[in-house]
Amino acid sequence: MRRLRPMLLCWSLAAGAPLPPACRTPPLPDDHCGFYTRCLDAAHPCGPDGYARGYGAKYCHRFDSKADELSAAGDAWLNSTGACLQQALVPLLGQPDATCAQIRRRAFDSHPICYTGGQGARPTAPSICLLPDSDVRTIAETVDRKDALSPWGI
């Protein structure tokens, strides 16, 4: 039986163990950044350099640590943008064939809309375009230079 347990565990992981129901409506109530590791990476493991762990979770935690440095508008932007970025990836959870490249593309394609607060010609609050300069500076300083200047970050 001891030899059978690891085989059963591997089989259940390969078969796609069910994700928590909260994964369908991020952010998770008990962990604002948990969607990336507990949902997206659990459904589509792309490793430490994949979008979920290497970018999404990393920056979610980093931005959360800066919340005290932001104005009330900046804090509203942070919460709205974080939720928007995670919600944009929910449809991929139900696509067993989604590749790591597709996940990365979908994620980065959502950044402009989520950062600017909508799809219209004019930004709507909360939008990075409407934040005080001090908030924009804090946000810009939070992102690693190599990520900001990468083809994905530009």
Side-chain angles (χ1 to χ4, degrees), residues 71-153:
S71 67
D75 191 51
W77 174 86
L78 181 69
N79 291 324
S80 175
T81 301
C84 179
L85 293 170
Q86 293 176 34
Q87 290 164 7
L89 298 170
V90 168
L92 295 173
L93 298 178
Q95 296 178 14
D97 298 348
T99 67
C100 296
Q102 289 169 327
I103 292 167
R104 182 175 294 273
R105 167 59 60 200
R106 174 84 168 242
F108 281 106
D109 283 352
S110 72
H111 284 204
I113 291 168
C114 292
Y115 276 56
T116 60
Q119 298 178 10
R122 295 180 183 206
T124 57
S127 169
I128 196 167
C129 303
L130 304 174
L131 294 179
D133 290 344
S134 60
D135 285 348
V136 174
R137 197 170 19 264
T138 299
I139 291 164
E141 291 170 351
T142 302
V143 180
D144 291 338
R145 177 178 232 125
K146 71 175 180 63
D147 288 330
L149 298 176
S150 76
W152 295 105

Side-chain angles (χ1 to χ4, degrees), residues 27-96:
L28 303 183
D30 62 335
D31 181 1
H32 178 73
C33 299
F35 171 82
Y36 292 108
T37 53
R38 292 171 44 198
C39 303
L40 186 59
D41 198 56
H44 302 289
C46 293
D49 295 327
Y51 181 85
R53 290 170 39 201
Y55 200 95
K58 173 176 114 175
Y59 284 113
C60 185
H61 289 293
R62 198 176 286 180
F63 276 112
D64 277 356
S65 74
K66 300 282 187 173
D68 291 343
E69 299 175 34
L70 298 173
S71 67
D75 191 51
W77 174 86
L78 181 69
N79 291 324
S80 175
T81 301
C84 179
L85 293 170
Q86 293 176 34
Q87 290 164 7
L89 298 170
V90 168
L92 295 173
L93 298 178
Q95 296 178 14

Side-chain angles (χ1 to χ4, degrees), residues 1-7:
M1 183 66 171
R2 285 185 182 218
R3 293 183 130 179
L4 186 58
R5 283 187 189 148
M7 289 173 40

